[in-house]
Amino acid sequence: MHILVNGNEHNIMAGTTLSQLLDELKIESSHVIIELNRNVVPQQQFSTTTLKADDEVELIQFVGGG
């Protein structure tokens, strides 16, 4: 099934959760904010939020620096 991740087309299996998507992309959930179809998803809902075809996901990652 197709979704958009930060504007790029991405194929995932049906039933994939946001947590599984982060695992697939090798992104630590504690370092990211997820916007799903223009709504921010609380981190505690990553494992229970299932993606659907044509969903739009924006991943905003924290970057440290000095």
Side-chain angles (χ1 to χ4, degrees):
M1 136 178 116
H2 292 82
I3 63 170
L4 287 179
V5 178
N6 291 354
N8 297 309
E9 201 169 297
H10 194 79
N11 288 318
I12 60 170
M13 300 283 292
T16 298
T17 65
L18 288 173
S19 290
Q20 292 168 325
L21 176 64
L22 292 177
D23 287 345
E24 184 178 318
L25 297 173
K26 297 179 181 21
I27 297 173
E28 177 65 41
S29 65
S30 62
H31 299 127
V32 69
I33 293 173
I34 298 179
E35 187 179 278
L36 176 60
N37 300 321
R38 299 185 184 210
N39 295 302
V40 174
V41 179
Q43 186 175 0
Q44 56 269 38
Q45 293 179 9
F46 289 0
S47 63
T48 59
T49 302
T50 304
L51 294 163
K52 299 173 208 64
D54 301 319
D55 274 346
E56 294 183 24
V57 178
E58 290 292 325
L59 303 175
I60 303 155
Q61 296 185 47
F62 299 108
V63 178

Coordinates of all heavy atoms in Angstrom, one line a residue:
M1 N 0.8 -1.2 0.0 CA 0.0 0.0 0.0 C 0.9 1.2 0.0 O 2.0 1.2 0.6 CB -0.9 -0.2 1.2 CG -1.2 1.0 2.1 SD -2.3 0.5 3.4 CE -1.3 0.7 4.8
H2 N 0.5 2.3 -0.6 CA 1.2 3.5 -0.8 C 0.9 4.6 0.2 O -0.3 4.8 0.5 CB 1.0 4.1 -2.2 CG 1.6 3.3 -3.3 ND1 0.9 2.2 -3.8 CD2 2.7 3.4 -4.0 CE1 1.7 1.7 -4.8 NE2 2.8 2.4 -4.9
I3 N 1.9 5.2 0.8 CA 1.7 6.4 1.7 C 2.7 7.4 1.3 O 3.7 7.1 0.5 CB 1.8 6.0 3.2 CG1 3.2 5.5 3.5 CG2 0.7 5.1 3.6 CD1 3.5 5.4 5.0
L4 N 2.6 8.6 1.7 CA 3.6 9.6 1.5 C 4.3 9.9 2.9 O 3.7 10.0 3.9 CB 3.0 10.9 1.1 CG 2.5 11.0 -0.4 CD1 1.9 12.4 -0.7 CD2 3.6 10.7 -1.3
V5 N 5.7 9.8 2.9 CA 6.5 10.1 4.0 C 7.4 11.3 3.7 O 8.2 11.2 2.8 CB 7.3 8.9 4.5 CG1 8.2 9.3 5.7 CG2 6.4 7.7 4.8
N6 N 7.1 12.4 4.3 CA 7.8 13.7 4.0 C 7.8 14.0 2.6 O 8.8 14.4 2.0 CB 9.2 13.6 4.6 CG 9.3 13.7 6.1 OD1 8.3 13.8 6.8 ND2 10.4 13.5 6.7
G7 N 6.7 13.8 1.9 CA 6.5 14.1 0.5 C 7.0 13.1 -0.5 O 6.8 13.2 -1.7
N8 N 7.5 12.0 0.0 CA 8.0 10.9 -0.9 C 7.2 9.7 -0.8 O 6.8 9.3 0.3 CB 9.5 10.5 -0.5 CG 10.4 11.7 -0.7 OD1 10.5 12.3 -1.7 ND2 11.2 12.0 0.4
E9 N 6.9 9.1 -1.9 CA 6.1 7.8 -1.9 C 6.8 6.7 -1.2 O 8.0 6.5 -1.4 CB 5.7 7.5 -3.4 CG 4.5 6.6 -3.5 CD 4.0 6.5 -4.9 OE1 3.6 7.5 -5.5 OE2 4.1 5.3 -5.4
H10 N 6.1 5.9 -0.4 CA 6.7 4.8 0.3 C 5.7 3.7 0.3 O 4.5 3.9 0.5 CB 6.9 5.3 1.8 CG 7.8 4.5 2.6 ND1 9.2 4.5 2.4 CD2 7.5 3.6 3.5 CE1 9.7 3.6 3.3 NE2 8.7 3.1 4.0
N11 N 6.1 2.5 0.1 CA 5.3 1.3 0.1 C 5.4 0.6 1.5 O 6.5 0.4 2.0 CB 5.7 0.3 -1.0 CG 5.3 0.8 -2.3 OD1 4.2 1.3 -2.5 ND2 6.2 0.6 -3.3
I12 N 4.3 0.3 2.1 CA 4.2 -0.4 3.4 C 3.2 -1.6 3.3 O 2.3 -1.6 2.4 CB 3.9 0.5 4.5 CG1 2.5 1.1 4.4 CG2 5.0 1.5 4.7 CD1 2.0 1.9 5.6
M13 N 3.3 -2.5 4.2 CA 2.3 -3.6 4.3 C 1.0 -3.0 5.0 O 1.1 -2.1 5.8 CB 2.9 -4.7 5.2 CG 4.1 -5.3 4.7 SD 3.8 -6.5 3.3 CE 3.0 -7.7 4.2
A14 N -0.1 -3.6 4.6 CA -1.4 -3.2 5.2 C -1.3 -3.5 6.7 O -0.7 -4.5 7.1 CB -2.5 -4.0 4.6
G15 N -1.8 -2.7 7.6 CA -1.8 -2.9 9.0 C -0.6 -2.3 9.7 O -0.4 -2.5 10.9
T16 N 0.3 -1.7 9.0 CA 1.5 -1.1 9.6 C 1.2 0.0 10.5 O 0.3 0.9 10.2 CB 2.5 -0.6 8.5 OG1 2.9 -1.7 7.7 CG2 3.7 0.1 9.1
T17 N 1.8 0.0 11.7 CA 1.5 1.1 12.7 C 2.6 2.2 12.5 O 3.7 1.9 11.8 CB 1.6 0.6 14.1 OG1 2.9 0.1 14.4 CG2 0.5 -0.5 14.3
L18 N 2.4 3.3 13.1 CA 3.5 4.3 13.1 C 4.8 3.8 13.7 O 5.9 4.1 13.2 CB 3.0 5.6 13.8 CG 1.9 6.4 13.1 CD1 1.4 7.5 14.0 CD2 2.4 6.9 11.8
S19 N 4.7 3.0 14.8 CA 5.9 2.5 15.4 C 6.6 1.6 14.5 O 7.9 1.6 14.4 CB 5.5 1.7 16.7 OG 5.1 2.6 17.7
Q20 N 5.9 0.8 13.7 CA 6.5 -0.1 12.8 C 7.2 0.6 11.6 O 8.3 0.3 11.1 CB 5.5 -1.2 12.2 CG 5.1 -2.1 13.3 CD 3.9 -2.9 12.8 OE1 3.0 -2.4 12.2 NE2 3.8 -4.2 13.3
L21 N 6.5 1.7 11.2 CA 7.1 2.6 10.2 C 8.4 3.2 10.7 O 9.4 3.2 9.9 CB 6.1 3.7 9.8 CG 6.7 4.7 8.8 CD1 7.0 4.0 7.4 CD2 5.7 5.9 8.6
L22 N 8.5 3.7 11.9 CA 9.7 4.2 12.4 C 10.8 3.2 12.5 O 12.0 3.4 12.2 CB 9.5 4.8 13.8 CG 8.6 6.1 13.9 CD1 8.4 6.5 15.3 CD2 9.2 7.2 13.0
D23 N 10.4 1.9 12.9 CA 11.4 0.8 12.9 C 12.0 0.6 11.6 O 13.2 0.4 11.4 CB 10.8 -0.4 13.5 CG 10.5 -0.4 15.0 OD1 11.1 0.5 15.7 OD2 9.8 -1.2 15.5
E24 N 11.1 0.6 10.6 CA 11.5 0.3 9.2 C 12.5 1.4 8.7 O 13.4 1.1 8.0 CB 10.3 0.2 8.3 CG 10.6 -0.1 6.9 CD 9.3 -0.2 6.0 OE1 8.3 -0.8 6.5 OE2 9.3 0.3 4.9
L25 N 12.2 2.6 9.1 CA 13.0 3.7 8.7 C 14.2 4.0 9.6 O 15.0 4.9 9.4 CB 12.2 5.0 8.6 CG 11.0 5.0 7.6 CD1 10.2 6.3 7.8 CD2 11.5 4.9 6.2
K26 N 14.4 3.1 10.6 CA 15.5 3.2 11.6 C 15.5 4.6 12.3 O 16.6 5.2 12.4 CB 16.8 2.9 10.9 CG 16.8 1.4 10.4 CD 18.2 1.1 9.8 CE 18.3 -0.2 9.2 NZ 17.2 -1.1 8.9
I27 N 14.3 5.0 12.8 CA 14.2 6.3 13.5 C 13.7 6.0 14.9 O 12.8 5.3 15.1 CB 13.2 7.2 12.8 CG1 13.7 7.6 11.3 CG2 13.0 8.5 13.6 CD1 12.7 8.4 10.5
E28 N 14.4 6.6 15.8 CA 14.1 6.4 17.3 C 12.9 7.2 17.6 O 12.8 8.4 17.3 CB 15.3 6.8 18.1 CG 15.1 6.8 19.6 CD 14.9 5.4 20.1 OE1 15.6 4.5 19.7 OE2 14.0 5.2 21.0
S29 N 11.8 6.6 18.1 CA 10.6 7.2 18.4 C 10.7 8.4 19.4 O 9.9 9.3 19.3 CB 9.5 6.2 18.9 OG 9.9 5.7 20.1
S30 N 11.7 8.3 20.3 CA 11.8 9.4 21.3 C 12.4 10.7 20.6 O 12.4 11.7 21.3 CB 12.7 9.0 22.4 OG 13.9 8.6 22.0
H31 N 12.9 10.6 19.4 CA 13.5 11.8 18.8 C 12.7 12.3 17.6 O 13.2 13.0 16.7 CB 14.9 11.4 18.3 CG 15.8 11.0 19.4 ND1 16.5 9.8 19.3 CD2 16.1 11.5 20.5 CE1 17.2 9.7 20.4 NE2 17.0 10.7 21.2
V32 N 11.4 12.0 17.6 CA 10.6 12.4 16.4 C 9.2 12.9 16.8 O 8.6 12.4 17.8 CB 10.5 11.3 15.4 CG1 9.7 10.1 15.8 CG2 10.0 11.7 14.0
I33 N 8.7 13.8 16.1 CA 7.2 14.2 16.1 C 6.6 13.7 14.8 O 7.2 13.9 13.8 CB 7.1 15.7 16.3 CG1 7.6 16.2 17.7 CG2 5.6 16.1 16.1 CD1 7.6 17.6 17.8
I34 N 5.4 13.1 14.9 CA 4.8 12.6 13.7 C 3.5 13.4 13.5 O 2.7 13.5 14.4 CB 4.5 11.1 13.8 CG1 5.8 10.3 14.0 CG2 3.7 10.6 12.6 CD1 5.5 8.8 14.1
E35 N 3.3 13.8 12.3 CA 2.1 14.5 11.9 C 1.5 13.5 10.8 O 2.1 13.2 9.8 CB 2.4 15.8 11.2 CG 1.2 16.6 10.9 CD 1.6 18.0 10.3 OE1 1.9 18.9 11.1 OE2 1.6 18.1 9.0
L36 N 0.3 13.1 11.1 CA -0.5 12.2 10.2 C -1.7 12.9 9.6 O -2.6 13.3 10.4 CB -0.9 10.9 11.0 CG -1.7 9.9 10.2 CD1 -1.0 9.4 9.0 CD2 -2.1 8.8 11.1
N37 N -1.7 13.1 8.3 CA -2.7 13.8 7.7 C -3.0 15.2 8.3 O -4.1 15.5 8.6 CB -4.0 13.0 7.6 CG -3.8 11.7 6.8 OD1 -3.1 11.7 5.8 ND2 -4.3 10.6 7.3
R38 N -1.9 15.9 8.6 CA -1.9 17.2 9.2 C -2.3 17.3 10.7 O -2.7 18.4 11.2 CB -2.7 18.2 8.4 CG -2.2 18.3 6.9 CD -2.9 19.3 6.1 NE -2.3 19.2 4.8 CZ -2.3 20.3 4.0 NH1 -2.7 21.4 4.4 NH2 -1.7 20.1 2.8
N39 N -2.3 16.2 11.4 CA -2.6 16.1 12.8 C -1.5 15.5 13.5 O -1.0 14.4 13.2 CB -3.9 15.3 13.1 CG -5.1 15.9 12.4 OD1 -5.5 17.1 12.7 ND2 -5.8 15.2 11.6
V40 N -1.0 16.2 14.6 CA 0.1 15.6 15.4 C -0.4 14.4 16.2 O -1.5 14.5 16.8 CB 0.6 16.7 16.4 CG1 1.7 16.1 17.3 CG2 1.2 17.8 15.6
V41 N 0.3 13.3 16.2 CA 0.0 12.1 16.9 C 0.8 12.0 18.1 O 2.0 12.1 18.1 CB 0.2 10.8 16.0 CG1 -0.1 9.6 16.8 CG2 -0.6 10.9 14.7
P42 N 0.2 11.9 19.3 CA 1.0 11.8 20.6 C 1.8 10.5 20.5 O 1.4 9.5 20.0 CB -0.1 11.6 21.7 CG -1.3 12.2 21.1 CD -1.3 12.0 19.6
Q43 N 3.0 10.6 21.1 CA 4.0 9.5 21.0 C 3.4 8.2 21.6 O 3.6 7.1 21.1 CB 5.2 9.9 21.8 CG 6.3 8.8 21.7 CD 7.6 9.3 22.3 OE1 7.7 10.4 22.9 NE2 8.6 8.5 22.3
Q44 N 2.6 8.3 22.6 CA 2.0 7.1 23.2 C 1.0 6.4 22.3 O 0.6 5.3 22.6 CB 1.4 7.4 24.6 CG 0.3 8.5 24.7 CD 0.9 9.8 24.9 OE1 2.0 10.2 24.5 NE2 0.2 10.6 25.7
Q45 N 0.6 7.0 21.2 CA -0.3 6.4 20.2 C 0.4 5.9 19.0 O -0.3 5.3 18.1 CB -1.4 7.4 19.8 CG -2.3 7.8 20.9 CD -3.3 8.9 20.5 OE1 -3.5 9.2 19.3 NE2 -4.1 9.4 21.4
F46 N 1.7 6.0 18.9 CA 2.5 5.5 17.8 C 2.2 4.0 17.5 O 2.0 3.5 16.4 CB 4.0 5.7 17.9 CG 4.4 7.1 17.8 CD1 3.6 8.2 17.6 CD2 5.8 7.4 17.9 CE1 4.0 9.5 17.5 CE2 6.2 8.7 17.8 CZ 5.4 9.7 17.6
S47 N 2.2 3.2 18.6 CA 2.0 1.7 18.4 C 0.6 1.3 18.1 O 0.4 0.2 17.7 CB 2.5 1.0 19.7 OG 1.8 1.4 20.8
T48 N -0.4 2.2 18.3 CA -1.8 1.8 18.1 C -2.4 2.5 16.9 O -3.5 2.2 16.5 CB -2.6 2.1 19.3 OG1 -2.6 3.5 19.7 CG2 -2.2 1.3 20.5
T49 N -1.6 3.4 16.3 CA -2.1 4.1 15.1 C -1.7 3.4 13.8 O -0.5 3.3 13.5 CB -1.6 5.6 15.1 OG1 -2.0 6.2 16.3 CG2 -2.2 6.3 13.9
T50 N -2.7 2.9 13.1 CA -2.5 2.1 11.9 C -2.6 3.0 10.7 O -3.5 3.8 10.6 CB -3.5 0.9 11.8 OG1 -3.4 0.2 13.0 CG2 -3.3 0.1 10.6
L51 N -1.7 2.8 9.8 CA -1.7 3.6 8.6 C -2.6 3.0 7.5 O -2.8 1.8 7.5 CB -0.3 3.7 8.0 CG 0.7 4.5 8.9 CD1 2.1 4.1 8.5 CD2 0.4 5.9 8.8
K52 N -3.2 3.9 6.7 CA -4.1 3.5 5.6 C -3.5 4.0 4.3 O -2.7 4.9 4.3 CB -5.5 4.1 5.9 CG -6.1 3.7 7.2 CD -7.4 4.6 7.3 CE -7.8 4.8 8.8 NZ -6.8 5.5 9.6
A53 N -4.0 3.4 3.2 CA -3.5 3.8 1.9 C -3.7 5.3 1.7 O -4.7 5.9 2.1 CB -4.3 3.1 0.8
D54 N -2.7 5.9 1.1 CA -2.7 7.4 0.8 C -2.6 8.3 2.0 O -2.8 9.5 1.8 CB -3.9 7.8 -0.1 CG -4.0 7.0 -1.4 OD1 -2.9 6.8 -2.0 OD2 -5.1 6.5 -1.8
D55 N -2.3 7.8 3.2 CA -2.0 8.6 4.3 C -0.7 9.5 4.0 O 0.1 9.1 3.2 CB -1.7 7.8 5.6 CG -3.0 7.4 6.3 OD1 -4.0 8.0 6.0 OD2 -2.9 6.6 7.2
E56 N -0.7 10.7 4.6 CA 0.4 11.6 4.5 C 1.1 11.7 5.9 O 0.4 12.1 6.8 CB 0.0 12.9 4.0 CG -0.5 12.9 2.5 CD -0.9 14.2 2.0 OE1 -0.4 15.3 2.5 OE2 -1.7 14.3 1.1
V57 N 2.3 11.3 5.9 CA 3.1 11.3 7.2 C 4.2 12.3 7.1 O 5.0 12.3 6.1 CB 3.7 9.9 7.5 CG1 4.5 9.9 8.8 CG2 2.5 8.8 7.6
E58 N 4.3 13.2 8.1 CA 5.5 14.1 8.2 C 6.2 13.7 9.4 O 5.6 13.6 10.5 CB 5.0 15.5 8.2 CG 4.4 16.1 6.9 CD 5.4 16.2 5.8 OE1 6.6 16.5 6.0 OE2 5.0 15.9 4.6
L59 N 7.5 13.5 9.3 CA 8.4 13.1 10.4 C 9.3 14.3 10.7 O 10.0 14.8 9.8 CB 9.2 11.9 10.1 CG 8.5 10.7 9.7 CD1 9.4 9.6 9.3 CD2 7.6 10.2 10.8
I60 N 9.2 14.8 11.9 CA 10.0 16.0 12.3 C 11.0 15.5 13.4 O 10.6 15.0 14.5 CB 9.1 17.1 12.9 CG1 8.1 17.5 11.8 CG2 10.0 18.3 13.3 CD1 6.9 18.2 12.3
Q61 N 12.3 15.4 13.0 CA 13.3 14.9 13.9 C 14.0 15.9 14.7 O 14.3 17.0 14.1 CB 14.3 14.0 13.1 CG 13.6 12.8 12.4 CD 14.6 11.9 11.8 OE1 15.7 11.6 12.3 NE2 14.3 11.6 10.5
F62 N 14.3 15.6 15.9 CA 15.2 16.5 16.7 C 16.6 16.3 16.4 O 17.1 15.2 16.3 CB 14.9 16.2 18.2 CG 13.5 16.5 18.7 CD1 12.7 15.4 19.0 CD2 13.0 17.7 18.8 CE1 11.4 15.6 19.4 CE2 11.7 17.9 19.2 CZ 10.9 16.9 19.5
V63 N 17.3 17.4 16.2 CA 18.7 17.3 15.9 C 19.5 18.1 16.9 O 19.2 19.3 17.1 CB 19.0 17.8 14.4 CG1 20.5 17.8 14.1 CG2 18.2 17.0 13.4
G64 N 20.5 17.5 17.5 CA 21.3 18.3 18.5 C 22.5 18.9 17.8 O 22.9 18.6 16.7
G65 N 23.0 19.9 18.4 CA 24.1 20.6 17.8 C 24.6 21.7 18.8 O 24.1 21.9 19.8
G66 N 25.7 22.3 18.4 CA 26.2 23.3 19.3 C 26.9 24.4 18.5 O 26.9 24.6 17.4

